[in-house]
């Protein structure tokens, strides 16, 4: 190989090395961006779990609140029935005379 051929090969190799360095820098930047995305996804997943927990808690509270009037109504009906049964028993006990 002549000195001129070696110079040409050296120039080609240097050019390729610069090109490869540029490509590696781009790949490093892309990898950094992917790492940032992965971290953001982890944070979002954590927040989603927190929100899911809060929603379950809210649903339980709403269920309790909506059941409360129903329980009161049932208790009121029970008391009215006890009152009617008590009145009927009292009527029978006094002989049905009013």
């Amino acid at each position: 190989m002549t000195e001129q051929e070696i110079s040409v090969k050296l120039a080609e190799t240097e050019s390729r090395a610069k090109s490869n360095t540029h490509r590696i820098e781009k790949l490093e930047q892309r990898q950094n961006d992917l790492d940032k995305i992965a971290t953001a996804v982890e944070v979002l997943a954590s927040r989603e779990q927190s929100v899911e927990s809060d929603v379950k808690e809210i649903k339980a509270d709403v269920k309790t609140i909506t059941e409360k009037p129903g329980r009161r109504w049932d208790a009121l009906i029970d008391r009215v029935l006890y009152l009617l049964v008590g009145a009927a028993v009292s009527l029978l006990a006094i002989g049905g005379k009013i």
Side-chain angles (χ1 to χ4, degrees):
M1 229 182 209
T2 66
E3 192 174 313
Q4 185 178 5
E5 291 173 341
I6 292 173
S7 289
V8 170
K9 288 287 184 185
L10 183 59
E12 289 174 357
T13 303
E14 286 178 0
S15 175
R16 192 174 317 132
K18 286 180 184 178
S19 175
N20 288 342
T21 300
H22 182 66
R23 290 175 55 208
I24 289 171
E25 288 172 355
K26 281 185 176 180
L27 286 172
E28 286 175 343
Q29 183 59 45
R30 288 185 68 189
Q31 186 61 45
N32 289 338
D33 293 344
L34 285 173
D35 290 344
K36 288 177 186 176
I37 290 172
T39 302
V41 168
E42 287 178 20
V43 169
L44 287 174
S46 174
R47 287 182 182 172
E48 188 271 336
Q49 287 176 346
S50 176
V51 168
E52 184 178 344
S53 173
D54 291 347
V55 168
K56 286 180 181 177
E57 195 174 312
I58 291 169
K59 284 175 69 175
D61 291 346
V62 168
K63 187 175 182 180
T64 302
I65 290 169
T66 57
E67 287 177 349
K68 196 171 189 176
R71 287 194 308 257
R72 285 183 180 166
W73 180 252
D74 290 344
L76 179 66
I77 297 298
D78 287 343
R79 289 185 180 116
V80 169
L81 287 175
Y82 293 147
L83 180 68
L84 291 175
V85 169
V89 169
S90 296
L91 265 173
L92 289 175
I94 61 170
K97 298 180 185 176
I98 299 182

